[in-house]
Amino acid sequence: MKKTLIGFVSALAIAVGGSLAVAAPAQAATPAVMITKVYYNSPGSDNGSNTSLNAEYVRLTNKRSSTINLKNWTLRDKSNHVYKFSSDFNLKAGYSVVIHTGKGTNTSSNRYWGLSWYVWNNTGDAAYLRNSAGTAIDSCSWGSRGSYTYC
């Protein structure tokens, strides 16, 4: 009886340990910086005004407990329109930055691509975030329904 009980407890410990091991990689898979929202179809007609262009945006959020420097990180679409953080940009832990398509004055929470036409396709597209080494960090895609998506 003792051997059966020890065998059962050992099997249970292995099973529980195995399930805990499976949970760990899922947490580790959370990107340091995530694309958390894409507003790909700005309100109103697409007339190319700066107000309309800036209503099209991507929000990035730092999911780590420390500041991350986004220098040389890139955000791009399927057609390879590329926004690059060309200088030091420190995104604090838990904070977000919004990258607008149009023109404006950059701040710690809003960046401006400076384009004169739309980037994100209303009929479906994807946003890709890469770090300074060119490694894929996160992506978000959408179809033709709605105006924005949470990623």
Side-chain angles (χ1 to χ4, degrees):
M1 180 71 170
K2 275 186 177 178
K3 286 184 180 179
T4 304
L5 184 58
I6 291 171
F8 173 75
V9 171
S10 296
L12 182 61
I14 291 169
V16 169
S19 67
L20 292 176
V22 171
Q27 279 185 328
T30 300
V33 178
M34 290 181 65
I35 300 168
T36 52
K37 184 177 183 182
V38 180
Y39 208 120
Y40 53 87
N41 186 5
S42 58
S45 62
D46 290 345
N47 59 15
S49 72
N50 197 54
T51 301
S52 179
L53 289 167
N54 283 334
E56 180 184 83
Y57 63 82
V58 175
R59 182 177 65 203
L60 306 177
T61 304
N62 181 349
K63 295 294 187 174
R64 294 295 183 253
S65 58
S66 59
T67 298
I68 297 174
N69 188 349
L70 300 182
K71 182 177 182 178
N72 294 323
W73 284 47
T74 60
L75 176 68
R76 63 187 70 222
D77 70 343
K78 283 184 176 181
S79 297
N80 212 28
H81 295 99
V82 179
Y83 175 85
K84 183 176 184 177
F85 289 90
S86 56
S87 60
D88 286 334
F89 182 82
N90 294 308
L91 187 57
K92 294 180 182 177
Y95 279 68
S96 295
V97 61
V98 175
I99 296 120
H100 301 272
T101 300
K103 297 175 178 126
T105 303
N106 290 333
T107 68
S108 62
S109 58
N110 290 282
R111 308 299 284 181
Y112 295 88
W113 208 318
L115 300 177
S116 57
W117 201 250
Y118 304 92
V119 171
W120 311 107
N121 295 326
N122 300 350
T123 56
D125 205 343
Y128 305 98
L129 180 66
R130 295 181 185 172
N131 67 14
S132 59
T135 304
I137 299 300
D138 196 21
S139 66
C140 178
S141 59
W142 57 91
S144 59
R145 292 186 180 186
S147 295
Y148 58 88
T149 188
Y150 292 99
C151 308

